[in-house]
Amino acid sequence: MSNLGDSGAISLETKKQPSGCRDPIFAVVFYANLIIIAVLCIKFGPDAYKSNIDADSDSAADGDDDTADGDDASSPSLVGFLYAALGGSGISVVLSGLMILLMIPTASFLIKLALLFNVAMSGLLAVVAVATGNWPFAIIAVIFFLIFCCYAKAVWSRIPFATANLVTATKAIKVNFGVTLIGYVMVVLAIGWTVLWVTAFLGVQDSIIECVNVKDANGDDKTMCDNPNYGILFLFLVSYYFVHQVLKNVVHVTVAGVVGTWWFAPDEKGCCGKAIFGSLCRALTTSFGSICFGSLIVAAIQALRTLVDVAKSNDDIGNTLACCIDCLLSCIESIVEYFNKWAFIYVGLYGYGYCEAGKSVMTLFKDRGWDAIIADDLIGMVLGMLSLVVGLITGAFTLVFVETTSWFDEFLVDNTKGNAQVLAFIIGLIVGIFMCSILLSAIDSAVLAVIVLFAEAPAEFESNYPELSQDMRKAYAKAHPGYE
């Protein structure tokens, strides 16, 4: 293992690429995709919704007599759950911010806790399986318990290095906290894209798929529709996943750029400073084609997996074959997504094209493979655990809303709001996990950037942040006694 502080350290100036758009053809494909879906939405969307509205109107007309005859079938208002979700969102954002502050002084403890938590949960599942006599599941649980125990023992010496990475990444995000807002903006855009895509898809589907009412064997009415056109369905699915992947990866690349600026130019830090806007601008312009390139690959794989599920549900493919294909595609998707996660760090840091970034990833894994993967995995456990904690606390707060507000009085039965409590807690749990995971994803991206930068530019780190640099060097030395 080479000395990290030698003269071979590669500075930003030697690796940063000349100005200019990378992989522009894929950016063109992205914009063409948006335009096509928008046109389809305008052309076919209104007809689909109109037919649904007409059907609902007919059903309402048929039911007028029943309503007039007597019983009021109105359901309790669900607006209380909306209020609870909005309140939970605000609470989870505050809690997520507190979790970032908590990670700095307790990073080592949290990593050890997350690692032992996985061991304990697998052991608990094994005990429960044995106690209930479910021996096949018990054998599998015991195997996983032993695997987690071996993994914990093997990586325990790497915890100090993972801790140093987490602390450094958290401090980088803390002084550039505005970058986390980009994640929430992208969520809003993703929701808008979903509405647009669904409208276009339903409209096109309504125009090409014919459905007829027939009688089944029992004489009951049944609607029979043509099988979907798998070619058109595949293109629609690629279109949908493509945009979502791009939105997610824009955040990832932006965070990498922010951490790179913090690493090399500390004076440009700030909650909404030059580092954030500059990185976001590069992600949406010169590096956008590279983001679209990698995103399109993953989107195509995800579309194929969904297509297999649809074909299996329509009995157009056997269950065994579908299972094998889905398993293969799932493995490929996981590998490509993990590769992309690292490649986009190089895109954000140095402005590489996608293929050139891929070559740098292979070099990184060749030189530092297990150190990078283990640090990433350990910190991922922590972030997942904290997201769950925030979700549980948010769920508890929604229970407080149920008991202390009048939002759920319509659900009061025998002086209890049991059904409302369960549903409110589930909503709070989901909202809390979702909102926290968005914010903590910035930490995850920052950790990868720190791992790459520590491998390639330790001299600048030592110069700008000597205390953090020394902590990371000492932690690395514990895992690699031969390091100086």
Side-chain angles (χ1 to χ4, degrees):
M1 188 68 64
S2 63
N3 191 321
L4 296 179
D6 61 19
S7 59
I10 304 172
S11 66
L12 175 65
E13 288 74 16
T14 59
K15 297 202 72 172
K16 192 172 182 180
Q17 301 299 293
S19 59
C21 295
R22 313 291 170 199
D23 307 310
I25 185 64
F26 294 96
V28 173
V29 172
F30 177 83
Y31 291 123
N33 173 47
L34 292 181
I35 293 171
I36 291 171
I37 292 298
V39 170
L40 292 175
C41 180
I42 294 171
K43 182 175 178 59
F44 297 103
D47 292 337
Y49 284 121
K50 181 179 179 181
S51 61
N52 289 334
I53 293 172
D54 291 343
D56 292 339
S57 299
D58 293 340
S59 298
D62 293 339
D64 281 346
D65 294 338
D66 295 337
T67 303
D69 288 342
D71 297 338
D72 181 8
S74 62
S75 300
S77 173
L78 300 179
V79 70
F81 295 105
L82 176 61
Y83 294 154
L86 293 175
S89 297
I91 292 170
S92 62
V93 170
V94 174
L95 290 173
S96 300
L98 294 176
M99 290 299 173
I100 290 181
L101 297 178
L102 177 67
M103 279 191 286
I104 296 176
T106 62
S108 178
F109 169 77
L110 289 174
I111 292 174
K112 292 176 181 177
L113 180 62
L115 194 58
L116 294 177
F117 177 77
N118 285 338
V119 174
M121 289 304 298
S122 60
L124 179 62
L125 288 176
V127 171
V128 171
V130 171
T132 57
N134 191 340
W135 295 109
F137 183 76
I139 293 173
I140 295 174
V142 169
I143 292 174
F144 274 98
F145 173 71
L146 295 176
I147 291 174
F148 277 122
C149 287
C150 292
Y151 179 73
K153 184 177 185 301
V155 303
W156 199 263
S157 63
R158 310 293 180 95
I159 290 178
F161 183 62
T163 299
N165 275 283
L166 180 56
V167 170
T168 301
T170 304
K171 289 189 174 182
I173 295 299
K174 181 183 175 182
V175 297
N176 296 282
F177 198 75
V179 73
T180 60
L181 299 178
I182 298 174
Y184 295 106
V185 172
M186 293 302 170
V187 169
V188 174
L189 293 178
I191 294 172
W193 164 248
T194 299
V195 173
L196 182 71
W197 182 89
V198 168
T199 302
F201 178 73
L202 290 177
V204 172
Q205 177 182 251
D206 190 60
S207 66
I208 65 175
I209 296 181
E210 295 184 0
C211 296
V212 294
N213 293 324
V214 297
K215 298 287 186 180
D216 61 14
N218 297 323
D220 298 326
D221 291 331
K222 183 178 180 181
T223 301
M224 297 289 293
C225 298
D226 297 335
N227 283 336
N229 184 312
Y230 287 109
I232 294 177
L233 179 59
F234 174 73
L235 293 176
F236 263 101
L237 291 171
V238 170
S239 170
Y240 180 74
Y241 291 128
F242 184 24
V243 174
H244 278 284
Q245 282 291 321
V246 168
L247 294 176
K248 180 182 73 172
N249 291 327
V250 163
V251 179
H252 187 56
V253 169
T254 301
V255 172
V258 169
V259 174
T261 303
W262 173 83
W263 191 279
F264 292 104
D267 294 338
E268 296 184 11
K269 66 185 179 183
C271 181
C272 296
K274 181 179 177 181
I276 296 173
F277 288 105
S279 298
L280 179 60
C281 182
R282 290 191 298 274
L284 294 175
T285 53
T286 56
S287 296
F288 192 66
S290 301
I291 294 173
C292 293
F293 191 173
S295 300
L296 183 59
I297 297 173
V298 175
I301 299 172
Q302 291 177 325
L304 285 173
R305 290 191 65 190
T306 304
L307 207 65
V308 170
D309 289 338
V310 172
K312 182 175 70 173
S313 64
N314 290 334
D315 295 326
D316 292 331
I317 186 174
N319 289 336
T320 302
L321 179 59
C323 182
C324 293
I325 295 175
D326 184 66
C327 182
L328 177 61
L329 290 174
S330 176
C331 293
I332 296 174
E333 180 186 351
S334 299
I335 293 171
V336 174
E337 282 194 318
Y338 193 76
F339 178 83
N340 276 357
K341 189 166 74 166
W342 290 95
F344 286 137
I345 293 297
Y346 283 91
V347 171
L349 289 176
Y350 306 120
Y352 282 175
Y354 180 73
C355 292
E356 190 172 2
K359 295 177 183 177
S360 297
V361 172
M362 299 307 297
T363 302
L364 175 71
F365 283 165
K366 181 179 178 181
D367 295 339
R368 303 286 181 84
W370 287 113
D371 290 312
I373 293 171
I374 291 173
D376 177 37
D377 184 57
L378 290 175
I379 293 170
M381 290 182 185
V382 173
L383 301 182
M385 181 182 70
L386 292 180
S387 294
L388 177 60
V389 170
V390 169
L392 292 172
I393 296 175
T394 304
F397 270 102
T398 58
L399 292 179
V400 175
F401 294 153
V402 173
E403 295 300 324
T404 60
T405 69
S406 59
W407 300 342
F408 304 91
D409 287 350
E410 294 182 58
F411 291 87
L412 185 63
V413 177
D414 296 331
N415 293 322
T416 182
K417 304 176 184 177
N419 293 334
Q421 289 174 336
V422 173
L423 184 55
F425 178 80
I426 293 174
I427 291 174
L429 175 67
I430 294 173
V431 168
I433 292 175
F434 178 71
M435 298 298 287
C436 185
S437 64
I438 293 174
L439 194 147
L440 294 186
S441 67
I443 300 294
D444 187 38
S445 301
V447 166
L448 302 186
V450 168
I451 292 172
V452 170
L453 288 166
F454 183 64
E456 300 194 344
E460 289 81 352
F461 191 39
E462 176 69 26
S463 174
N464 295 324
Y465 307 97
E467 184 177 346
L468 290 174
S469 177
Q470 287 301 315
D471 290 342
M472 192 171 292
R473 288 169 179 270
K474 291 176 182 178
Y476 191 83
K478 288 182 180 180
H480 302 277
Y483 163 75
E484 297 181 357

